Amino acid sequence: MRKLVLTLSSLLFLPFVLLAQQPKKLNSSEIYEAIEKLNFLGSVLYIAAHPDDENTRLISYMANEVKARTAYLSLTRGDGGQNLIGPEIRELLGVIRTQELLAARRTDGGNQMFTRANDFGYSKHPDETLTIWDKKEVLGDVVWAIRKFRPDIIINRFDHRTPGSTHGHHTSSAILSVEAFDKAGDKSEYPNQLKYVNTWQPKRQFFNTSWWFYGGRENFEKADKTNLLEFDMGTYYPTAGLSNTEIASLSRSQHKSQGFGSTGTRGSSTEYIELINGDLPKNKADLFEGIDTSWNRIEGGQRIGEILMQVQQNYNFKNPAASLRQLMEAYKLITQLKDEHWRPIKTAQIKEIIASAAGLYLEAVSSSPTATKGSSLQLSIEAINRSDANITLKSFKVEGIDISDTEQKTLTNNQKFSKDLTGKVSSDIDYTNAYWLKEKGTLGMYKVTDPTLIGKPETEHQVKASFELEIEGQPITFTKDIVYKTNDPVKGEVYRPLEIIPEVSVALKDKVIIYANGPTKTIPVTVKAGSENLSGNLTIQTPSGWSINPKSVSFDLKQSGEEKVFNFTLTAPSTQSEGYITPIATINGKKYSDEMITIDYDHIPYQTVFLPAESKVVKLDITKKGENIGYIAGAGDVVPESLEQIGYNVTILNPYDISEKSLKEYDAIVMGIRAYNTLDILKFKQPILLDYVKNGGNLVLQYNTSRGLKADNLGPYPLTLSRDRVTDENAEVRFLLPDHPVLNKPNKLSENDFKGWVQERGLYFPGEWSTEYKAVLSSNDQGESPKDGSLLVAKYGKGYYVYTGLSFFREFPAGVSGAYRLFANILSLGKQ
């Protein structure tokens, strides 16, 4: 099992922003806000490409000022981005960023949706993006989202009319949105969806424009604004004690893995949207002009609207429970509505209001954070009514566990009822996992077999507790996820979801195993029990030409959570080779080959992910010079572990401890990705690092971005970063200086060393540099001019300074042989 843990100190302590793990409890002001939203039957869908693309100011405004049901459709989960808070990349980063978006929506009041598109990395043109994504499938997902959410208004974050001017994913999101606007209402388009949803035609579609899209404020001031609507985002909400822009900043700050912490602003601030489909409202201050957003919109809604308007007008902030009789009357009418779209939406909304108005606390707590199929599980249930309302707990049952209780209990004001119950977990229940990771997808698409899951932000927990109550004589059922909670001496009450896990999981220590210094390696395999008294055997599946010893070992695990490590010897073939090894645990004939990975950050709920437990093994023809490497971590990568794989002794250095004396023992110093963007101390330590080079050291800088550099001078000579990048991982790499040592010693490189790269060649290359730097490589995406700044080498004094934008941080975890050979040459400069 891999456990990835980081504690974040920048938590938000606000009435409406709780720790991600804790259940939501509305205060009196929030109940009133929820009633206002209950009385608004209009929807807005905001569409963009990635987590953090969304305009949180506009989403918050629509949700909290307009009171509209508002959602953000992010086409991807941000899997191709970087991670500033930990080592997770690709699928695991997508899990983190999914939860960060959900945290953002909990803050700004919106909902969250996704398509199956995979963020495969930066793309320069929508033609490339839509080819890799499979345009028909992603367009279908956007159509599905519109038909399912049924927005009256769609707002695009990006401009569909400017392909090639920005990230290809960005423009593609707008192109797909514009195409889907009409297709969603056409029965001939994606007819298979109509088994589950009806067609839907939005009323209007806008582009969320600004002066930036016009090339500057001056151009924007001169532009024709006939088709533009403008809104003041600076609205102040007295019940929250915050302005809309402050809430938006808090929402954006949830994107911690991308370093998007935002300082709140106050005062008037204008946002613009440009009409691109539908009719322009005559009253530009009313986005929903011509759309009935009252309860009269649906059959049977008039009486509901009358009751709920009385509730809103007569709401007692000191005693919200005074409205319970009317709320229960409205609830009954809502559940009887024929409208299959609004009925479940408004039922869920009013149930939350009823529970909050009654001060009703319902919880089912598991005795363990995990359970396996068929295992016994104890639950502690709690129910308390903190009002004078007449409430009776009629029965209790748990879906997924054979637990039920029909003992009726009158819940009197502030008298807690609790009970312990035990049951058996169903053998038919699925394991807890991210639904989009259950099957292997493609470079551009996740595979989701169940069409009803498409668009959902996360996997819904199957083990749910149902509390059947009677409130003021009316039946009502509340459903809660089963949770596990502990008391932390620092954090206090900490919640985790109950997760269903396999009987056993297996894990390999390293995701990539490099054979560079001998034919054999010890391969440790960890076997972890998900339940008690397990016995079986463990084997490792190997590629052709590789041999494993022993062939099989037996294991015996007595306690749930117990781990044992078994060592195997894996022998590589004599020639260069690569493949994958997979550990397989067999219990009573059933095979288990998944690794259980846990992700634990304070700003998102605890996550458990199951992925195939496999490692890439590479027999590498590589030579290196030097032994001791000092590594200064930046935004987070696994480069140090990768260098250890090929025989280097790597020491992680504290940048504050850098001194002339401390650096002398190292053959090379390597700076982690974005180190000069994230470490303020480097502005003071840079002269020491450059003196290290001057005295004979080897300093290697991996990519940084030009924005937010902490040091005035990155190198010993003038060097300016640009946004140049090569996104095609198969783009031709040309040797500008074929005789340069970095391409020849100690490893003779060829074009074969640039085969099999993943996601990209590199990013944020220098755009300008002085003649002292030697540009070694050149590459470019199709149709672009050559980009020569991916690898610059300069002799400085007795040593070497290297700046590289090549994406070693992506290639090393993928076991790309040529990337290892090239980096070994970089570290060996001057040591021949």
Side-chain angles (χ1 to χ4, degrees):
M1 180 190 72
R2 251 189 301 168
K3 189 168 185 180
L4 303 165
V5 183
L6 186 68
T7 299
L8 300 174
S9 60
S10 54
L11 294 173
L12 305 172
F13 293 95
L14 293 165
F16 56 88
V17 185
L18 300 170
L19 285 174
Q21 296 89 338
Q22 294 181 351
K24 185 178 181 181
K25 310 180 192 76
L26 301 183
N27 61 37
S28 181
S29 295
E30 289 168 336
I31 295 171
Y32 180 76
E33 297 283 343
I35 293 169
E36 289 185 306
K37 291 182 180 182
L38 182 65
N39 279 329
F40 192 96
L41 280 73
S43 301
V44 177
L45 181 62
Y46 197 89
I47 298 179
H50 309 108
D52 73 48
D53 281 345
E54 81 272 27
N55 185 337
T56 54
R57 302 197 314 168
L58 200 51
I59 290 175
S60 176
Y61 181 86
M62 293 299 166
N64 299 307
E65 175 64 16
V66 179
K67 309 300 181 187
R69 179 170 172 256
T70 307
Y72 173 42
L73 174 61
S74 176
L75 267 60
T76 76
R77 296 177 185 270
D79 325 74
Q82 282 81 51
N83 186 358
L84 299 185
I85 62 172
E88 305 92 341
I89 59 174
R90 294 304 303 147
E91 294 93 343
L92 296 179
L93 177 58
V95 172
I96 291 173
R97 298 190 73 185
T98 293
Q99 291 299 323
E100 288 180 335
L101 269 180
L102 289 170
R105 298 295 79 80
R106 285 191 292 271
T107 304
D108 59 35
N111 298 322
Q112 186 60 51
M113 303 175 74
F114 292 95
T115 75
R116 289 169 293 165
N118 192 338
D119 179 6
F120 56 85
Y122 192 87
S123 176
K124 293 181 177 178
H125 200 279
D127 288 350
E128 177 196 34
T129 299
L130 295 174
T131 298
I132 296 175
W133 273 355
D134 188 337
K135 179 182 177 181
K136 182 181 178 181
E137 292 298 309
V138 183
L139 176 58
D141 288 359
V142 179
V143 170
W144 168 267
I146 294 171
R147 288 173 172 174
K148 194 169 181 63
F149 190 74
R150 297 177 70 174
D152 302 298
I153 310 295
I154 293 177
I155 302 175
N156 297 337
R157 182 69 183 98
F158 300 104
D159 192 348
H160 66 287
R161 300 159 294 194
T162 56
S165 63
T166 184
H167 197 321
H169 296 185
H170 292 170
T171 311
S172 294
S173 70
I175 290 172
L176 295 173
S177 176
V178 170
E179 289 193 32
F181 182 82
D182 291 322
K183 291 182 184 295
D186 187 343
K187 288 185 178 180
S188 67
E189 298 287 351
Y190 300 96
N192 288 340
Q193 295 181 2
L194 303 182
K195 300 173 186 176
Y196 311 100
V197 292
N198 295 319
T199 57
W200 179 255
Q201 183 56 59
K203 180 76 170 177
R204 303 181 179 104
Q205 186 174 42
F206 296 88
F207 158 48
N208 185 194
T209 190
S210 71
W211 63 264
W212 187 87
F213 291 96
Y214 287 76
R217 296 183 186 276
E218 186 175 345
N219 292 342
F220 183 64
E221 292 300 321
K222 297 176 183 178
D224 180 9
K225 297 184 178 61
T226 303
N227 286 336
L228 267 62
L229 276 65
E230 61 181 89
F231 302 94
D232 186 352
M233 296 290 105
T235 302
Y236 177 68
Y237 305 121
T239 53
L242 294 167
S243 67
N244 185 73
T245 47
E246 288 175 306
I247 294 174
S249 294
L250 294 170
S251 173
R252 189 153 184 79
S253 295
Q254 299 307 307
H255 296 295
K256 299 182 189 300
S257 67
Q258 304 305 296
F260 277 119
S262 177
T263 301
T265 61
R266 288 145 295 279
S268 179
S269 178
T270 305
E271 199 72 50
Y272 296 89
I273 57 175
E274 175 192 355
L275 183 74
I276 53 177
N277 266 315
D279 63 308
L280 187 71
K282 294 179 182 178
N283 177 9
K284 289 189 174 184
D286 184 5
L287 184 66
F288 283 87
E289 184 186 72
I291 303 170
D292 189 353
T293 59
S294 73
W295 279 99
N296 294 330
R297 178 173 192 163
I298 55 178
E299 182 183 348
Q302 181 177 355
R303 177 55 184 157
I304 298 170
E306 292 171 355
I307 296 170
L308 291 178
M309 190 52 65
Q310 292 176 14
V311 170
Q312 184 174 328
Q313 292 171 349
N314 300 318
Y315 181 72
N316 186 335
F317 282 85
K318 291 185 177 181
N319 182 23
S323 301
L324 275 174
R325 285 190 177 275
Q326 288 179 298
L327 286 169
M328 288 303 300
E329 182 183 356
Y331 165 75
K332 180 180 179 180
L333 294 174
I334 290 172
T335 60
Q336 296 171 352
L337 289 171
K338 295 179 181 179
D339 192 298
E340 295 182 356
H341 174 68
W342 285 109
R343 186 180 64 238
I345 293 169
K346 293 303 177 181
T347 297
Q349 288 180 352
I350 197 170
K351 284 173 71 173
E352 182 180 35
I353 292 168
I354 289 168
S356 299
L360 190 60
Y361 188 87
L362 304 171
E363 189 172 66
V365 179
S366 167
S367 58
S368 170
T370 61
T372 57
K373 297 180 183 183
S375 65
S376 179
L377 190 67
Q378 181 178 311
L379 296 182
S380 297
I381 65 169
E382 178 183 339
I384 184 168
N385 164 27
R386 291 171 287 188
S387 73
D388 290 327
N390 296 316
I391 302 179
T392 302
L393 176 62
K394 305 287 286 185
S395 66
F396 171 84
K397 63 181 178 180
V398 180
E399 183 181 346
I401 307 178
D402 63 345
I403 288 179
S404 63
D405 185 69
T406 56
E407 178 190 357
Q408 294 192 24
K409 177 68 176 178
T410 300
L411 302 180
T412 55
N413 190 351
N414 214 28
Q415 299 300 307
K416 184 176 78 170
F417 170 73
S418 60
K419 193 169 189 177
D420 292 338
L421 299 168
T422 301
K424 189 176 183 181
V425 179
S426 169
S427 59
D428 297 327
I429 201 166
D430 287 338
Y431 300 130
T432 304
N433 200 13
Y435 72 84
W436 63 95
L437 298 179
K438 288 184 177 181
E439 298 183 72
K440 188 173 180 62
T442 64
L443 173 64
M445 295 290 293
Y446 282 117
K447 184 178 180 181
V448 180
T449 303
D450 183 351
T452 63
L453 291 176
I454 295 172
K456 291 187 176 182
E458 59 182 338
T459 305
E460 193 170 326
H461 287 272
Q462 295 180 76
V463 183
K464 293 181 178 294
S466 294
F467 295 82
E468 296 179 7
L469 285 83
E470 189 176 90
I471 300 179
E472 299 296 348
Q474 295 287 341
I476 186 170
T477 300
F478 293 94
T479 302
K480 302 285 185 180
D481 288 339
I482 307 295
V483 298
Y484 171 78
K485 63 181 182 180
T486 57
N487 182 72
D488 183 276
V490 175
K491 302 174 187 177
E493 193 174 50
V494 176
Y495 279 74
R496 278 179 56 179
L498 171 67
E499 296 173 310
I500 307 302
I501 64 173
E503 283 186 287
V504 68
S505 59
V506 291
L508 291 158
K509 179 177 178 290
D510 299 304
K511 296 294 109 181
V512 175
I513 304 170
I514 305 295
Y515 283 71
N517 303 299
T520 64
K521 279 185 179 286
T522 298
I523 308 298
V525 180
T526 300
V527 181
K528 181 172 183 177
S531 59
E532 297 178 345
N533 299 318
L534 297 178
S535 60
N537 66 83
L538 177 67
T539 59
I540 296 183
Q541 183 176 299
T542 62
S544 178
W546 297 69
S547 61
I548 193 77
N549 186 49
K551 298 293 184 184
S552 174
V553 297
S554 61
F555 61 82
D556 188 17
L557 303 171
K558 299 297 184 185
Q559 302 295 323
S560 175
E562 183 180 355
E563 294 183 4
K564 286 187 179 179
V565 179
F566 300 92
N567 291 321
F568 292 78
T569 300
L570 181 64
T571 302
S574 58
T575 57
Q576 187 156 313
S577 172
E578 60 182 55
Y580 289 89
I581 61 172
T582 302
I584 300 172
T586 304
I587 301 174
N588 296 326
K590 187 172 182 179
K591 298 182 183 298
Y592 299 86
S593 58
D594 281 347
E595 176 184 6
M596 186 170 76
I597 304 163
T598 60
I599 303 174
D600 189 7
Y601 293 94
D602 280 347
H603 68 301
I604 60 175
Y606 190 94
Q607 299 290 299
T608 298
V609 181
F610 292 96
L611 293 175
E614 62 179 19
S615 292
K616 186 174 184 180
V617 289
V618 181
K619 174 62 169 66
L620 186 58
D621 179 14
I622 189 171
T623 305
K624 64 181 182 62
K625 301 290 183 181
E627 297 294 333
N628 299 315
I629 307 297
Y631 198 88
I632 299 173
D637 56 56
V638 294
V639 172
E641 295 90 335
S642 301
L643 296 180
E644 288 175 340
Q645 285 268 9
I646 57 175
Y648 285 105
N649 300 317
V650 182
T651 302
I652 304 299
L653 302 179
N654 183 335
Y656 288 89
D657 296 335
I658 291 174
S659 66
E660 182 180 351
K661 181 179 179 181
S662 69
L663 298 182
K664 284 183 177 180
E665 62 184 280
Y666 299 106
D667 297 304
I669 301 295
V670 180
M671 310 300 292
I673 61 172
R674 293 192 183 184
Y676 287 85
N677 297 128
T678 58
L679 300 175
D680 289 310
I681 190 63
L682 290 182
K683 71 176 71 174
F684 306 109
K685 298 296 184 177
Q686 184 70 347
I688 298 173
L689 289 166
L690 294 180
D691 281 344
Y692 162 77
V693 179
K694 193 173 185 179
N695 293 327
N698 190 346
L699 178 64
V700 183
L701 271 67
Q702 298 180 85
Y703 96 93
N704 292 270
T705 63
S706 57
R707 191 165 136 187
L709 285 171
K710 307 300 184 182
D712 295 331
N713 301 305
L714 287 180
Y717 311 110
L719 173 73
T720 303
L721 300 183
S722 73
R723 297 183 64 84
D724 287 348
R725 62 200 303 162
V726 178
T727 62
D728 182 358
E729 63 269 31
N730 299 311
E732 178 191 6
V733 177
R734 298 173 292 275
F735 290 7
L736 298 177
L737 300 174
D739 296 328
H740 195 283
V742 82
L743 298 178
N744 293 277
K745 299 177 181 179
N747 303 289
K748 179 73 174 177
L749 302 184
S750 70
E751 63 179 15
N752 289 330
D753 288 293
F754 292 92
K755 292 179 179 179
W757 284 50
V758 298
Q759 189 159 329
E760 62 199 355
R761 289 295 187 197
L763 62 170
Y764 296 105
F765 301 159
E768 297 178 354
W769 53 87
S770 67
T771 56
E772 287 85 355
Y773 295 101
K774 304 302 178 186
V776 180
L777 303 173
S778 180
S779 188
N780 57 270
D781 286 315
Q782 187 175 359
E784 294 193 352
S785 61
K787 303 295 184 286
D788 298 344
S790 65
L791 179 59
L792 302 181
V793 181
K795 190 76 169 65
Y796 181 60
K798 299 177 182 179
Y800 284 87
Y801 172 93
V802 179
Y803 189 95
T804 178
L806 294 170
S807 58
F808 290 104
F809 72 102
R810 295 199 191 280
E811 311 314 316
F812 287 168
V816 177
S817 301
Y820 280 94
R821 284 163 50 84
L822 174 55
F823 210 86
N825 282 7
I826 291 172
L827 296 177
S828 300
L829 281 168
K831 296 173 178 61
Q832 287 79 21

